[in-house]
Amino acid sequence: MTIALAVLGVFFYFAFRLTLTPVNDHGQAGGNLRPGRSLRFYMDQPTKEAFLQIGGNLALLAPLGVLLPIVWTSLRGPLRLALLTGAFSLAIETVQGAVVMGRAFDIDDVILNVAGVLIAYFLLGRRLSKKVRGS
């Protein structure tokens, strides 16, 4: 559990560095409050950028689906895990949209972040948590 807690700390450091660092977007960052809008845009134009956006958002918080249930057994359930990581992702997106230059709020990023967490939880997190911490 100590190792998982240390890895979680390192994860948060890199996640914040990655998501809250200003970028030079040449004025292209646009916000999105309509669920599915960005996803449809990326699916309509399947480019390398679209793949990186979707894959990156799925992968960004996915480690939380493994680490959080190990550190806190109360987060073994998918609903609690989804609510907590959804709130965390929403906070990141809100800060990006309000404060970070070159970044914008996108509700689809929140959806993809939570989906990535749940995928990681169901593939590995639930079993690993039970193995490390017991039933």
Side-chain angles (χ1 to χ4, degrees), residues 29 50 62 64-65 68 74-75 78 86-87 99-101:
L64 295 180
L68 289 177
S74 60
L75 292 175
V99 179
V100 183
M101 294 298 296

Side-chain angles (χ1 to χ4, degrees), residues 6-72:
V7 171
L8 192 59
V10 171
F11 166 78
F12 279 123
Y13 171 78
F14 284 107
F16 283 118
R17 291 279 316 254
L18 184 64
T19 59
L20 300 179
T21 302
V23 295
N24 187 359
D25 70 335
H26 307 290
Q28 296 174 351
N32 173 34
L33 298 174
R34 289 189 9 225
R37 183 173 159 208
S38 295
L39 290 172
R40 276 190 298 280
F41 175 78
Y42 292 133
M43 299 306 255
D44 289 344
Q45 300 179 10
T47 62
K48 181 181 177 184
E49 174 69 21
F51 175 77
L52 290 174
Q53 283 293 326
I54 292 172
N57 278 304
L58 282 170
L60 179 66
L61 299 183
L64 295 180
V66 177
L67 295 170
L68 289 177
I70 291 173
V71 176
W72 292 284

